[in-house]
Amino acid sequence: TILTDIEDLDLYATSRERRFRLFASIECEGQLFMTPYDFILAELNQMLSETPPVWKGSSKLFRNLKERGVISYTEYLFLLCILTKPHAGFRIAFNMFDTDGNEMVDKKEFLVLQEIFRKKNEKRETKGDEEKRAMLRLQLYGYHSPTNSVLKTDAEELVSRSYWDTLRRNTSQALFSDLAERADDITSLVTDTTLLVHFFGKKGKAELNFEDFYRFMDNLQTEVLEIEFLSYSNGMNTITEEDFAHILLRYTNVENTSVFLENVRYSIPEEKGITFDEFRSFFQFLNNLEDFAIALNMYNFASRSIGQDEFKRAVYVATGLKLSPHLVNTVFKIFDVDKDDQLSYKEFIGIMKDRLHRGFRGYKTVQKYPTFKSCLKKELHSR
C-alpha cells in the first residue's frame, strides 16, 4: 500500500519533481535529498535520454547526437576497431560477445569488453609511480582496477598486435566463464553510456541481435567516411583525385607525400572526380587488405608488379568488391612512381597497412591541408 501511495505521488509531481525523486538517494525524516553524485547521474541520464534505440540507428547517429552523449575509453577503442574491419569480420565480433551462443548479446556480455581491453592496456603500462598509474586507470575506466589479475590464463601471456586480436585470442571458454562470474560486479561499476543505452535500452534489459549489430558497425564506417568525404567535396558529388590521394596517405608513415600528389596532378590532368560510392568501396577493400595480399600470393604476384586488370581481378576474388576502372586507374597513378602503369604490391600494401592503424598511431598530417579533427568539428557544427 505504501509503495502504491509513493507511485501515486508521481501523478501530482511536475517533471522536475519526478526527476528529483527518481535520483534522490537519501531520506531524512521524510524529506528526500540528492548527493552530489546523484545530481551528476541525473544530468547524465537526461543527456542519454535522447539516444535512439539500436533499430533506429543510421549513418548520421553520431552527427545527430553531437554533444548529447558520452563514450567511455574502452568503447572508444571498440569504435576505432570497427573502422578498419571487413564486413565478414562483423560476425566474428558478434560471436566474441555472444558468450552463451544464444544469437543475442546482452549488456553483461558486452561489458566483458571493458575487462579485456583493460587487461590489454595494463600489459602496456610502463613501470612508474603506482599512485599516478592508479589515477590514470580511474580516469580511463571509472574505477581502481585491482592489482591482482582476474584473467589468470595462458591467453594473457600472449602478445597481441591489436585490441581486436586481443578479443580474438581471449575468446576461450575458460576466460569468459571467469569473467561471467564477475559480470554483476562489472555492471555495477560501469556508468551508462550512449552505446549501452543505444544497444540495450534505458533500463539495460534489451538484447542486441546480429542484424542490428551489423547495421551499427556498417553505419559507423559509412558515417566516418561520409564526414571525411564531405570535408573535401564542398557540396559537390565528387572529390578531386588529388584530395583522394591526400586522404589515402593521411595516417601513414609516408614523410614526403608531395611525390605521390604530383603523380596524380600530372598523370590525371583532366579531373573526373571520385564519387562517394567509389570512395566507400575502396575503403571497404582496404579493410580486406590481408585477404587481398593472400590472393596476390596465390596468383604468384608476390615478387613482381601487377597491372590494373590483374589488380581489379585480385580485389574481386579476395573481397567480392568490383572497383571502378577510374578508381583503380587513380590508385595506380598515385603509387606508380616509375610511371610504367604497374603497381609494386609490396610498397602499396606496406603503405596501406600503416593507414589501417589510423586510430592507434600518431603520424603527423601535412599542415597545408585541414586536419581530420578540424574537418569533423566543422561538419558536426554545420548540421
Side-chain angles (χ1 to χ4, degrees), residues 100-118:
D100 58 10
N102 70 344
E103 294 295 311
M104 302 289 283
V105 170
D106 60 30
K107 187 175 180 179
K108 288 181 181 179
E109 287 175 317
F110 186 77
L111 288 176
V112 169
L113 173 85
Q114 300 273 14
E115 286 295 278
I116 291 178
F117 277 163
R118 180 178 67 79

Side-chain angles (χ1 to χ4, degrees), residues 139-153:
Q139 287 183 344
L140 294 178
Y141 305 108
Y143 58 91
H144 288 287
S145 55
T147 52
N148 58 319
S149 174
V150 296
L151 310 179
K152 293 187 180 298
T153 65

Side-chain angles (χ1 to χ4, degrees), residues 4-19:
T4 305
D5 291 342
I6 292 173
E7 289 176 344
D8 285 345
L9 290 178
D10 275 344
L11 297 174
Y12 302 95
T14 65
S15 59
R16 284 186 177 179
E17 289 168 342
R18 284 196 296 270
R19 185 166 190 76

Side-chain angles (χ1 to χ4, degrees), residues 34 64 77-78 84 91 107 162 165 173 181 196 202 211 229 234 241 243 268-269 321-322 325 333 360 364:
M34 268 188 178
N64 288 339
L77 298 176
F78 168 61
T84 58
R91 169 58 76 174
K107 187 175 180 179
S162 70
D165 289 338
Q173 191 58 44
E181 292 176 4
L196 291 177
K202 294 179 176 67
E211 183 181 344
F229 183 87
N234 296 319
E241 289 80 359
D243 284 341
I268 310 177
L321 292 165
K322 290 185 177 180
K333 293 300 185 285
F360 298 103
K364 294 180 180 179

Side-chain angles (χ1 to χ4, degrees), residues 228 232 239 241-254 257 261 264 279 282-283 285-286 327 330-332 334-335 348 351-356:
E228 201 158 15
Y232 283 89
I239 60 173
E241 289 80 359
E242 189 175 340
D243 284 341
F244 176 67
H246 176 71
I247 293 171
L248 273 190
L249 295 168
R250 186 192 285 146
Y251 305 113
T252 70
N253 61 356
V254 175
T257 60
L261 296 174
V264 181
F279 184 79
F282 187 79
F283 286 99
F285 153 65
L286 284 188
L327 180 64
T330 302
V331 171
F332 267 62
I334 294 170
F335 294 99
F348 169 73
I351 293 173
M352 290 299 97
K353 275 187 176 179
D354 279 323
R355 197 187 195 284
L356 289 178

Side-chain angles (χ1 to χ4, degrees), residues 84-101:
T84 58
K85 289 295 156 277
H87 286 187
F90 294 177
R91 169 58 76 174
I92 296 171
F94 183 83
N95 289 343
M96 287 190 293
F97 294 122
D98 181 20
T99 57
D100 58 10

